Amino acid sequence: MIDRHLRPDEIELLLDGEEGFGVAPLRAHARSCVECQGELESARALMMALDSLPDFAPSPAFADRVMSQVHVFEPWHAAATRTVGQLIPATRPARIAASFGAAVTAGLATASVTWAVARADLAVFTASLGLERFREQLVAAGSDVVSTVIGQPGLDALRGSSPEVMALALGGFVAAAGMGVVGIRALATSARGSR
């Protein structure tokens, strides 16, 4: 005999008509306990009321409406397979023509790459020629800037001097330009402060 009230899972066992070890003491307790008997009867009435309700089925478009709002993760390989599948022609002659076109394109690409690798010396020569031209243009532009700042006689003097003197002159120019910028900013700040 059980000396406590039945739990909801035990009441469900009795409603389902389960048989087995441990069910007999539950039935005996339900017959002797007025409160548990009332719980069992109200659960049985609820179950009969639920069974009497009509069955409802969702509309056929219900699943489509729900799934249209669900964000489904698609792996990259599945997306790639689907995309490639859409690109494959549907008819056999079109598939043969597409395969022939792909083979010709792959052959031309292979031949182009092979030719370019075989002529790597030409590519290196062209690149070095381009870099030499770029360096010449950069030096010419730098000479123009220096001749504008210190004049042609100063530029001729720098060309005839050692690299250390050129580096020292460049450092002096950068320092003078920096001090000029700082001075202009100081003047602008003091002019704003006096207003």
Side-chain angles (χ1 to χ4, degrees), residues 58-164:
S59 71
F62 176 74
D64 293 334
R65 285 196 316 268
V66 170
M67 290 309 292
S68 70
Q69 297 176 6
V70 174
H71 299 288
V72 178
F73 172 74
E74 185 176 20
W76 69 269
H77 56 84
T81 303
R82 186 174 39 80
T83 302
V84 168
Q86 292 172 349
L87 296 175
I88 296 175
T91 63
R92 181 176 169 84
R95 282 196 299 266
I96 291 171
S99 299
F100 180 73
V104 168
T105 303
L108 288 174
T110 302
S112 300
V113 168
T114 304
W115 181 83
V117 168
R119 304 284 188 248
D121 58 338
L122 180 62
V124 170
F125 174 72
T126 305
S128 65
L129 185 63
L131 287 174
E132 183 63 29
R133 291 271 172 110
F134 177 72
R135 189 187 70 75
E136 289 173 1
Q137 292 296 322
L138 191 63
V139 167
S143 295
D144 288 345
V145 169
V146 171
S147 72
T148 302
V149 172
I150 62 174
Q152 189 62 36
L155 179 61
D156 292 338
L158 277 177
R159 280 188 182 151
S161 64
S162 67
E164 293 83 15

